Amino acid sequence: MTTKLFQTLAAATTLAGIVATAGAANAASLSYSTQYQYKPTDEAASADGYYITDIKDTISVQKFNSALGTLKSVTIEFIGNLKGDAGFENRSNNAATVLVNLAGTLNLQLPEGVDRFELNPEQSYSYTVARRDGVLDYGGTSGRTVAGLSAGITETKTFADSSFLQYFLGQGTTDFTFLATANSSISGPGNLASYVTTLASANVNVTYNYDPKAVPEPSAAIGLGLVAGIGLMSQRRKSWLKASN
């Protein structure tokens, strides 16, 4: 009977243990998104997030709260876009083809000076215009004014190096250095008047991949497991007493 009693107590203890560990942690993720916003003192912020290059500024993202668990890796998506407008006037005696190339280099650094991303969005546009018409107006038959030029590129990387992950732990924000440099150009005949304006935008999406801290089940649930075990023990004890009489 003593052996059966210990077996019953063991069953009750096991049941309580199962209830207590039911909240074991599973892998989880948490994402934050931010768009570069320049805050100039002499002009209004852009409504669409594009700003004239060249740019060297900060993009901030929310850090990971270590109270949530153990950070295992960080996935960063860097989205870089360009837009622009251009004008050109053929001033030669022959018709010509003019090539407008919208291009730039966008870097994301952490810490400053260490490139984590380098994007090179680029898009070319070709136009044919007549010989010079004698008017420098970036229009008519020998010139063109174009708007809505665009180019973009996206890159995603995952980092698991513990020294790099330290930049993302704690309260507040992690600050990336964002750089955007224009490489746009216009090519055509030797006698050509032209201009091009390049603007850039950037978005950073950060996903924290982590193991959550195990959340213990409420003591009431553990108590239910113990009560169930004790009830089982009581029923078996009654059976033993009847059998012994």
Side-chain angles (χ1 to χ4, degrees):
M1 183 173 72
T2 302
T3 301
K4 291 184 178 180
L5 178 61
F6 278 119
Q7 289 175 343
T8 303
L9 286 172
T13 303
T14 301
L15 178 59
I18 292 172
V19 175
T21 59
N26 295 313
S29 64
L30 180 64
S31 297
Y32 294 99
S33 298
T34 186
Q35 181 181 41
Y36 171 67
Q37 288 290 339
Y38 173 54
K39 298 178 176 60
T41 57
D42 57 346
E43 59 182 285
S46 168
D48 60 3
Y50 284 87
Y51 297 91
I52 292 177
T53 56
D54 292 343
I55 298 169
K56 181 179 181 181
D57 210 340
T58 298
I59 297 180
S60 300
V61 296
Q62 182 66 43
K63 287 186 175 182
F64 176 74
N65 184 355
S66 299
L68 296 175
T70 302
L71 183 61
K72 307 299 289 184
S73 65
V74 177
T75 299
I76 303 173
E77 180 184 42
F78 182 36
I79 304 169
N81 291 291
L82 302 176
K83 76 172 186 177
D85 54 72
F88 53 87
E89 186 78 34
N90 180 15
R91 308 191 72 183
S92 71
N93 288 323
N94 300 307
T97 297
V98 177
L99 184 68
V100 178
N101 187 49
L102 182 72
T105 300
L106 283 68
N107 300 83
L108 196 64
Q109 300 178 344
L110 183 68
E112 184 175 350
V114 179
D115 283 333
R116 300 296 174 177
F117 292 85
E118 180 175 303
L119 306 182
N120 296 283
E122 183 174 8
Q123 184 66 51
S124 295
Y125 301 83
S126 180
Y127 305 91
T128 299
V129 291
R131 67 184 297 275
R132 63 186 179 88
D133 61 8
V135 181
L136 182 57
D137 59 357
Y138 302 106
T141 59
S142 61
R144 192 75 58 85
T145 297
V146 293
L149 307 176
S150 64
I153 192 169
T154 299
E155 187 174 9
T156 302
K157 295 181 181 179
T158 297
F159 303 89
D161 180 75
S162 59
S163 60
F164 183 63
L165 296 183
Q166 295 303 311
Y167 289 109
F168 299 90
L169 298 176
Q171 302 297 318
T173 61
T174 292
D175 297 331
F176 290 92
T177 300
F178 169 56
L179 301 98
T181 304
N183 302 318
S184 300
S185 62
I186 298 179
S187 59
N191 289 319
L192 180 72
S194 65
Y195 70 86
V196 60
T197 302
T198 306
L199 300 91
S201 74
N203 292 73
V204 176
N205 301 320
V206 174
T207 299
Y208 297 120
N209 307 300
Y210 67 100
D211 290 337
K213 288 186 177 179
V215 180
E217 294 296 323
S219 57
I222 298 176
L224 288 175
L226 290 173
V227 169
I230 293 171
L232 177 62
M233 180 180 67
S234 177
Q235 290 295 325
R236 291 195 175 184
R237 184 173 182 278
K238 289 179 180 179
S239 298
W240 294 332
L241 290 174
K242 288 181 180 180
S244 61
N245 288 333

